[in-house]
Amino acid sequence: MEKIVSLAKRRGFVFPNSEIYGGLASAYDYGPLGVELKNNIKKLWWKFFIQDREDMVGIDGNIISSPKVWEASGHIENFKDPMIECKNCHARYRADKGGKKLKIKLNKLIEGFDKNLKTGADIPTYRDSDVDLSGNCDFCGAKPNGENFTPPRSFSGMFRTHLGPVEENAEIVYLRPETAQNIFINYKNILNSTNKKIPFGIGQIGKAFRNEITTGQFIFRTFEFEQMEIEYFIPDPELTGFDWEKSFDEWKEKMNQFAEMIGLKKDEFENIEISKEERAFYSKRTIDTEYKYPFGQEELWGLAYRGNYDLSRHQDYSKEDLRYFDEKLEGKEKKYLPHVIEPSFGVDRALLAVLCSAYDDSEKERIVLKLPPVLAPYKIAVAPLLGNKPELIEKARSVFELLKKEWHCVWDDRGNIGKRYKSQDEIGTPYFVVIDFDSLEDDSVTIRDRDTMEQKRIKISDLEKYFENKFSF
């Protein structure tokens, strides 16, 4: 992980937020290469899951919604985690993640946040018999004496803010902790404004915010993150006989396919069936796809069958009829609340997995980021062999202008050609086009392959066709 984090900052993928002011814990900014990689992951996801399917549409929902949305969804009441605190150093842990002996090391909350949440400050306390409060603290090493930790208490994961010009009279609203509810509250609008018939899905990419007790492992768990989420609406299985398990398995395979599309190897991730005791009460099946990160195997994304829980809650709270009229049903009652299969992806976790999978330092003389070409921030680097020869620069510029019309290219004439190769290898650029003195005579260029380091001569007139074949997916 240290190597990944170092490369990410050195090459402009990810920077610590507010670094010139000492930083803000678990907050990161995506740099010039990071934003390109992130956008490429999102574009590929959008094309594969939304644009290439006739049964899918997309939306872009607001980050702040009516508080009633979160009442109906159950987040205000239930979006809480059990928290325990070391009485010696005030480090805080999620009690449900620490285990009976706090064997799983968790990260300390940022100091400023700790000071705002002293024990007993407007947070209800409760007992949890599954947590042994006599374990050692992972941070100060306090010895077990039976009273090292406070009893578990409830900690809200919702970020609150105020809507209105005067805070005292303003309405309390929340930054969304997930993107799914935007889809549910717009489901009827989408039915009325499109010709979609069930089964069909709605996808969305957007920011979400969670007031996490424990954060860390670089961009794996942060307060602010981005989701790529789908709610796939299916007929009520009991009324219609729809085979939800078949649809569920089809989505699982699509998600596995996407994992391979972004360069994750089959032995690097695993689909874990969540037991009935561990999954949400309304779910009949849930799968977590876990990736083998350098810090351990952790959740990458998930797939859940949510039944009609969400729509039924919003129907009850809003008093709006959210039932779907199914003309295929026989008898008088042709309306029902659709059920939902939810594939949910984390953009940041996917990006971290991509970096981990692509990072290769097995060769002594170089580090290579073997990104799939479709994800690479720059597809092609173009440069003159020597950066101080006007005739080479002019020729190289013409090639650069030709290729950048179709692909995201980078001009690189810094230092000697060997250093330029290493630099582009490290940021994952698949191909390097070099214009040399022979190019002035034969209108050919040298193309170097990032992964194999093989070089070949190609006519400039053939470059577009050559790269079209390379970048087709």
Side-chain angles (χ1 to χ4, degrees), residues 1-13:
M1 273 303 294
E2 289 180 3
K3 294 178 180 179
I4 296 292
V5 173
S6 174
L7 179 141
K9 182 180 179 183
R10 185 174 69 254
R11 292 301 185 186
F13 284 94

Side-chain angles (χ1 to χ4, degrees), residues 17 25 43 58 123 136 175 226 253 264 298 356 409 415 460 464:
N17 177 272
K43 283 190 286 188
I123 301 177
N136 281 14
L175 302 185
E226 197 163 9
E253 291 309 311
L264 308 188
E298 295 283 354
C356 293
C409 300
I460 293 175
E464 291 178 281

